[in-house]
């Protein structure tokens, strides 16, 4: 029986769109913009078809395609998705149209800009579906190319240094990860993530590495930790985890806002996806061995980034650090689930809760952060590029609809009950507290500081006396209102009925946790 290659088709749609945009060139900029949005919605439609036909009762991989590529090196074209992969495909399919809408006013090299956006979407789809390391690593690395040029060619005054820093940091992590997997391949002759996870869970992976590489002057635990460290570094930089975060504020603030939406809404999830798909099942024992340092890093990511956001004046830098803070909750949940519990069945439901929270937080942060940066793009367009807290004041009086809708997104980021930002954080803290009480308790500081940051933005931008130069500040147009409402509506829907996502990912969560051997 020949199964239709749904995932391959989905991955190919943005590439076809990008090539068409490049062929059209600058002859018709409006046509280029509309074709970009059409191809992004085509990808969203196909993702929804996958969602419709996905068997939520199964935690196994679905829609698999597997073909030999370079058999002598165990390199295959192997793709498939479970609940995690499906959720990331849906997030990417939602974020890209938002990024295109936020970039609608781009005037220079329009066809190249939107072609790079679509190429980046293809790389996201490939990263979230590939199950063979070489295949996956190809998309992981290719994603750097469009992201680099989007920052370098359309960014702010310091775009060159920001783009270079972004590229160098992520390349260093990628090289470390590549070397680690080459060591594993030399020992096992395998690149398939599923097969490597099975070897790790049976206790055969690291002994094979020791025996093959002959590193007998190292004890096995140290060899395992060195290989783990290489893979960990690649993902820690991408998320990012403090102290590997210093590339992010400049990249987010200097990139055009549409590109920042892609970076925070989708690309940051590549790192978290790597933790869950690769590091967690293959290096779970090593994560447990260094769990205390990892938890301290997660706490630092949550708390220090919140304080850093509090110290900023530039709105893009505020939300750049806020993104680090929100992704730190995901890392806290992942590390909490990795804790050795000695087979205590009473703690297993807490692991399920924390992991479900991680999945929800990944999606909800992507949606909320993308929407907030979209509002910042509108502020910049209306103010001539201004985006400092001190540049505004009292906008609620002249732009009540803008204020109301952005306020909803801000309260979502704050974690207000009834909006999508609440339930993911609640499940992470609910599940993590019995597992790693001290780390969870310290992370609450990040929640409180984030609330101060968000309320400060509302006060400074919308609620102070109206700055006279904004007397003619335009409110949202009907078109802007219409395109924003779906994102805002989804925040309410997921806040009230999170089961819409949990029903599709829960069995994947259960299977992930049950596969742990500690």
């Amino acid at each position: 029986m020949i199964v239709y290659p749904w995932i391959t088709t989905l991955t190919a749609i943005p590439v076809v769109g990008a090539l068409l945009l490049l062929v059209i060139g600058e002859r018709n900029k409006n046509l280029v913009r509309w074709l970009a949005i059409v191809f992004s919605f085509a990808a969203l439609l196909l993702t929804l078809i996958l969602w419709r036909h996905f068997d939520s009762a199964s935690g196994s991989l679905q829609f698999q395609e597997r073909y030999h590529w370079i058999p002598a090196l165990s390199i295959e074209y192997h793709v498939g998705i479970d609940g995690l992969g499906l959720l990331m495909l849906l997030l990417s399919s939602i974020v890209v149209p938002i990024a295109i809408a936020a970039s609608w006013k781009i005037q220079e090299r329009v066809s190249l800009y939107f072609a790079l956006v679509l190429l980046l979407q293809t790389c996201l789809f490939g990263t979230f579906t590939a199950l063979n390391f070489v295949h996956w690593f190809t998309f992981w690395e290719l994603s750097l190319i469009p992201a680099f040029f989007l920052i370098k060619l359309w960014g702010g005054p310091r775009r060159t240094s920001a783009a270079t820093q972004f590229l160098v940091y992520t390349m260093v992590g990628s090289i470390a990860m590549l070397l680690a997997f080459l060591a594993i391949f030399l020992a096992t002759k395998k690149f398939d993530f599923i097969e490597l996870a099975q070897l790790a869970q049976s206790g055969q992976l690291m002994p094979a590495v020791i025996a093959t590489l002959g590193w007998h002057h190292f004890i096995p635990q140290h060899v395992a930790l060195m290989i783990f460290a290489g893979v960990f570094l690649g993902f820690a930089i991408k998320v990012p985890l403090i102290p590997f975060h210093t590339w992010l504020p400049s990249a987010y603030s200097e990139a055009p806002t549409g590109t920042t939406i892609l970076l925070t809404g989708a690309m940051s999830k590549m790192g978290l996806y790597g933790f869950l798909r690769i590091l967690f099942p293959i290096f779970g024992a090593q994560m447990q061995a260094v769990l205390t340092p990892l938890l301290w890093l997660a706490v630092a990511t949550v708390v220090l980034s919140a304080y850093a956001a509090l110290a900023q004046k530039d709105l893009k830098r505020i939300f750049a650090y806020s993104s680090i803070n929100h992704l730190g909750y995901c890392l806290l949940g992942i590390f909490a689930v990795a804790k050795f519990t000695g087979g205590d069945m009473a703690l297993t439901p807490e692991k399920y809760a924390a992991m479900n929270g991680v999945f929800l937080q990944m999606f909800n942060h992507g949606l909320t952060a993308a929407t907030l940066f979209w509002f910042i793009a509108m502020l910049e367009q209306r103010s001539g590029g201004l985006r400092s807290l001190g540049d505004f004041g009292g906008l609620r009086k002249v732009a009540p609809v803008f204020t109301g809708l952005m306020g909803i997104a801000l309260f979502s980021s704050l974690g207000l009950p009834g909006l999508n930002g609440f339930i993911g954080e609640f499940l992470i803290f609910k599940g993590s507290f019995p597992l790693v009480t001290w780390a969870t308790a310290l992370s609450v500081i990040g929640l409180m500081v984030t609330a101060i940051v968000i309320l400060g933005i509302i006060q400074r931008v919308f609620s102070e006396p109206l700055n006279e130069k904004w007397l003619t500040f335009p409110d949202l147009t009907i078109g802007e209102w219409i395109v924003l409402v779906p994102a805002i509506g989804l925040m309410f829907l997921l806040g009230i009925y999170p089961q819409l996502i949990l029903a599709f990912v829960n069995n994947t969560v259960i299977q992930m946790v049950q596969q742990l051997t500690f």
Side-chain angles (χ1 to χ4, degrees):
M1 178 181 177
I2 299 177
V3 179
Y4 185 78
W6 291 104
I7 293 177
T8 298
T9 302
L10 177 64
T11 307
I13 286 175
V15 174
V16 174
L19 293 175
L20 180 58
L21 297 188
L22 292 174
V23 170
I24 295 173
E26 300 300 295
R27 293 190 296 271
N28 192 330
K29 294 181 179 180
N30 278 332
L31 177 61
V32 166
R33 294 185 181 98
W34 282 107
L35 282 175
I37 204 74
V38 165
F39 275 95
S40 68
F41 274 115
L44 175 58
L45 177 61
L46 186 52
T47 304
L48 292 174
I49 292 173
L50 289 175
W51 189 278
R52 174 67 180 81
H53 292 283
F54 185 81
D55 181 8
S56 60
S58 171
S60 302
L61 292 164
Q62 301 175 41
F63 306 108
Q64 287 196 69
E65 305 167 39
R66 191 167 191 170
Y67 308 100
H68 292 299
W69 188 357
I70 308 176
L73 296 177
S74 299
I75 300 174
E76 297 178 313
Y77 179 87
H78 185 194
V79 296
I81 54 173
D82 54 10
L84 173 63
L86 179 63
L87 191 63
M88 292 300 97
L89 290 181
L90 182 62
L91 176 62
S92 302
S93 298
I94 292 173
V95 166
V96 169
I98 293 177
I100 292 173
S103 306
W104 204 257
K105 302 294 185 180
I106 291 284
Q107 296 296 330
E108 298 179 359
R109 299 183 288 266
V110 174
S111 62
L112 179 59
Y113 180 90
F114 288 109
L116 290 173
V117 169
L118 291 177
L119 286 174
L120 181 54
Q121 185 177 35
T122 283
C123 295
L124 291 168
F125 288 159
T127 302
F128 294 140
T129 57
L131 299 172
N132 182 279
F133 172 76
V134 175
H135 179 195
W136 172 87
F137 191 73
T138 300
F139 283 110
W140 174 273
E141 288 299 285
L142 284 177
S143 68
L144 300 180
I145 298 173
F148 172 81
F149 283 109
L150 286 168
I151 300 171
K152 177 72 169 66
L153 298 179
W154 289 274
R158 293 182 293 276
R159 60 183 181 270
T160 298
S161 61
T164 302
Q165 190 178 23
F166 162 76
L167 184 66
V168 170
Y169 261 73
T170 47
M171 283 296 295
V172 168
S174 296
I175 291 170
M177 184 160 44
L178 177 62
L179 292 175
F181 268 95
L182 286 177
I184 291 174
F185 172 75
L186 290 174
T188 65
K189 306 303 179 186
K190 296 180 185 297
F191 276 128
D192 189 86
F193 292 143
I194 309 305
E195 295 174 358
L196 290 174
Q198 291 171 348
L199 286 176
Q201 290 155 15
S202 64
Q204 302 177 53
L205 182 59
M206 289 307 161
V209 172
I210 299 293
T212 303
L213 299 183
W215 293 352
H216 299 293
H217 51 291
F218 293 108
I219 63 174
Q221 292 87 342
H222 289 172
V223 174
L225 288 175
M226 284 190 292
I227 295 175
F228 162 78
V231 182
F232 171 82
L233 182 63
F235 298 138
I237 290 173
K238 183 72 82 174
V239 174
L241 178 74
I242 286 179
F244 309 107
H245 69 291
T246 52
W247 63 269
L248 184 143
S250 59
Y252 279 28
S253 60
E254 294 302 318
T257 305
T259 302
T260 304
I261 288 171
L262 293 171
L263 292 173
T264 189
M267 285 195 73
S268 63
K269 309 308 178 292
M270 292 167 62
L272 290 171
Y273 178 86
F275 270 98
L276 293 168
R277 176 69 70 212
I278 300 171
L279 209 66
F280 199 70
I282 298 177
F283 298 97
Q286 287 70 48
M287 289 180 68
Q288 196 276 330
V290 293
L291 186 62
T292 299
L294 292 180
L295 286 169
W296 275 113
L297 290 177
V299 171
T301 301
V302 169
V303 176
L304 297 183
S305 58
Y307 277 106
L310 186 62
Q312 306 303 310
K313 301 300 181 184
D314 184 308
L315 282 170
K316 287 183 77 172
R317 292 184 72 90
I318 290 173
F319 287 116
Y321 281 108
S322 178
S323 288
I324 300 174
N325 163 264
H326 284 80
L327 296 173
Y329 300 137
C330 295
L331 294 168
L332 173 67
I334 292 170
F335 298 153
V337 174
K339 179 180 173 62
F340 176 75
T341 55
D344 186 349
M345 296 303 296
L347 292 176
T348 300
E350 307 303 337
K351 292 191 173 188
Y352 293 157
M355 190 62 83
N356 270 303
V358 170
F359 280 35
L360 272 177
Q361 179 73 356
M362 289 170 67
F363 184 87
N364 289 333
H365 171 264
L367 173 64
T368 301
T371 305
L372 283 171
F373 278 106
W374 192 1
F375 278 110
I376 291 175
M378 294 178 185
L379 274 176
E380 290 182 291
Q381 291 164 9
R382 286 163 163 77
S383 64
L386 299 178
R387 60 175 192 242
S388 174
L389 285 177
D391 293 329
F392 302 99
L395 293 185
R396 65 184 176 84
K397 297 179 181 178
V398 291
V401 177
F402 184 101
T403 301
L405 293 183
M406 186 172 179
I408 292 170
L410 286 167
F411 280 117
S412 169
S413 181
L414 187 150
L416 186 72
L419 292 170
N420 63 322
F422 169 75
I423 188 64
E425 293 178 12
F426 171 77
L427 287 174
I428 289 173
F429 277 87
K430 187 264 181 190
S432 299
F433 190 82
L435 295 166
V436 286
T437 304
W438 66 270
T440 309
L442 288 174
S443 296
V444 172
I445 298 171
L447 285 176
M448 295 186 291
V449 177
T450 297
I452 297 173
V453 171
I454 298 299
L455 294 175
I457 293 172
I458 295 173
Q459 175 68 25
R460 298 286 299 278
V461 176
F462 299 114
S463 298
E464 289 187 344
L466 177 64
N467 189 323
E468 290 186 0
K469 68 179 178 180
W470 304 125
L471 286 172
T472 58
F473 186 92
D475 207 343
L476 293 179
T477 64
I478 295 298
E480 290 171 334
W481 191 88
I482 290 173
V483 297
L484 278 166
V485 162
I488 300 297
L490 193 54
M491 292 180 193
F492 278 107
L493 179 61
L494 294 177
I496 297 169
Y497 188 63
Q499 195 65 17
L500 186 66
I501 286 179
L502 291 176
F504 281 85
V505 303
N506 187 57
N507 283 299
T508 299
V509 165
I510 291 173
Q511 183 158 311
M512 277 189 175
V513 173
Q514 288 179 344
Q515 285 176 346
L516 296 177
T517 56
F518 51 87

